[in-house]
Amino acid sequence: MNINLQNASLLISAGQAAQFPRRAIPQAALVGRSNVGKSSLVNTLLGRKSLARVSGSPGKTVTVNFYDVDGKLFLVDLPGYGFAKRPPAEKAAWSALTDGYFTANPNIDLLKLVIQLVDARVGATKDDLVMLDFLRQSGLPFIVVATKSDKLSKTALSAALEEIRKTAALDESVPLIAFSSETRDGKQTLWNEILARTSLL
């Protein structure tokens, strides 16, 4: 692995597109509904307990968080979507910020991978499907990660993965990775995908 995961830090929590960093290094972005486990996944990937704040209240991430990994990669955590209890104005602001990442990102050409997170227990929601449709239409490279896989038995997880692939109409060429922040299952597989896509292997 041509990258030092110990040398990672939160560079900026951007509340508007103008704050997105302009350093020309590859980016891998995380998208998913609120409470799908994005912050826990970031902490697990980077071997930290609290680099990314894990909130007890879903939908608290209202910024685009850029994590600088060894000066060679930006791991980008986008605001969660689909949390119904937030006021419409807040949800609109989050949507605009996420849209801004894809449309006003000065280094969008360096976005090498979008990691779509889906809760293994819930499956692909309507909001997940909308996001996946956007990724397909935009031509952005993406993979799907089924989080909280430790909450299911092996048999149930296998069935859940099959259902996610079917519901999301995922081609067999699209990796679908079972991931657990508790057991770290899927961590190395996910890193292999990220590093391969960003030419950092």
Side-chain angles (χ1 to χ4, degrees):
M1 187 183 292
N2 188 27
I3 192 167
N4 179 11
L5 301 184
Q6 300 303 312
N7 184 25
S9 61
L10 174 60
L11 179 69
I12 188 171
S13 293
Q16 51 188 342
Q19 295 176 306
F20 295 163
R22 295 180 176 273
R23 194 188 317 160
I25 59 175
Q27 300 183 15
L30 302 165
V31 297
R33 69 180 185 84
S34 299
N35 205 32
V36 75
K38 285 192 286 93
S39 296
S40 295
L41 184 143
V42 169
N43 286 331
T44 300
L45 282 181
L46 299 178
R48 305 293 183 85
K49 288 187 176 179
S50 55
L51 181 60
R53 291 173 302 205
V54 179
S55 174
S57 301
K60 285 293 188 182
T61 302
V62 293
T63 54
V64 176
N65 296 327
F66 286 81
Y67 295 92
D68 181 339
V69 187
D70 200 28
K72 298 177 180 178
L73 169 72
F74 280 134
L75 198 58
V76 187
D77 183 12
L78 296 173
Y81 53 71
F83 190 62
K85 293 183 180 179
R86 293 291 167 191
E90 282 190 26
K91 285 193 277 189
W94 297 346
S95 178
L97 188 57
T98 298
D99 290 346
Y101 174 76
F102 292 110
T103 60
N105 183 349
N107 287 324
I108 191 63
D109 58 315
L110 292 172
L111 176 57
K112 302 301 183 181
L113 181 65
V114 178
I115 303 163
Q116 171 72 55
L117 273 57
V118 174
D119 189 324
R121 305 166 303 172
V122 176
T125 66
K126 185 183 295 184
D127 289 316
D128 293 328
L129 298 180
V130 168
M131 188 70 217
L132 285 165
D133 282 343
F134 166 77
L135 294 174
R136 287 190 184 98
Q137 291 170 18
S138 65
L140 292 168
F142 70 92
I143 63 174
V144 178
V145 171
T147 61
K148 308 182 184 183
S149 63
D150 60 290
K151 307 299 183 186
L152 298 174
S153 67
K154 277 191 174 182
T155 302
L157 177 59
S158 180
L161 294 175
E162 188 175 330
E163 184 62 25
I164 289 171
R165 190 171 285 281
K166 179 181 175 183
T167 304
L170 297 178
D171 185 275
E172 287 298 329
S173 65
V174 178
L176 173 56
I177 301 170
F179 187 95
S180 167
S181 294
E182 295 292 326
T183 66
R184 299 182 184 176
D185 284 348
K187 175 181 176 179
Q188 192 57 53
T189 303
L190 179 51
W191 263 124
N192 289 345
E193 283 290 338
I194 294 171
L195 296 175
R197 303 296 183 107
T198 55
S199 302
L200 290 171
L201 269 178

